Amino acid sequence: AYPHIAGQQADIMGKVNGTIKVRELLQLKGGSQVSGNIYSTKLQIEPTANFNGQCHMNNQEPAPSLNGKGEKHLVAEAEPVK
């Protein structure tokens, strides 16, 4: 699993344990499992996705990048959900 994910947008399709920070849209796809805090201005969670943590949504201040760079669109395929 990825401990930290940062970018402009992200589609999560696996298991993530850690912080996710995106500037625009974060999508938790069906079957994904997220344990940790998320920071985003827009959030879409599919019915079979699982999220445990805090959600921070603020249109005034973009989510900071964890590494100072951040990708424009990130698709994360982490550990397959069993």
Side-chain angles (χ1 to χ4, degrees):
Y2 294 91
H4 302 290
I5 296 173
Q8 194 72 21
Q9 297 183 15
D11 298 337
I12 307 300
M13 298 180 209
K15 184 176 183 180
V16 177
N17 292 311
T19 301
I20 302 172
K21 294 184 178 185
V22 298
R23 296 186 195 284
E24 294 177 3
L25 176 63
L26 171 61
Q27 296 184 70
L28 304 184
K29 297 293 190 176
S32 63
Q33 294 181 357
V34 175
S35 294
N37 295 334
I38 58 176
Y39 298 81
S40 181
T41 56
K42 297 178 186 174
L43 175 63
Q44 179 180 13
I45 303 176
E46 292 186 0
T48 58
N50 187 310
F51 167 62
N52 289 298
Q54 292 183 344
C55 176
H56 303 271
M57 299 181 74
N58 186 345
N59 292 327
Q60 301 299 318
E61 174 182 328
S65 174
L66 292 168
N67 61 7
K69 294 181 183 178
E71 298 296 322
K72 183 169 174 91
H73 185 88
L74 180 68
V75 176
E77 290 190 52
E79 297 174 17
V81 177
K82 296 178 184 169

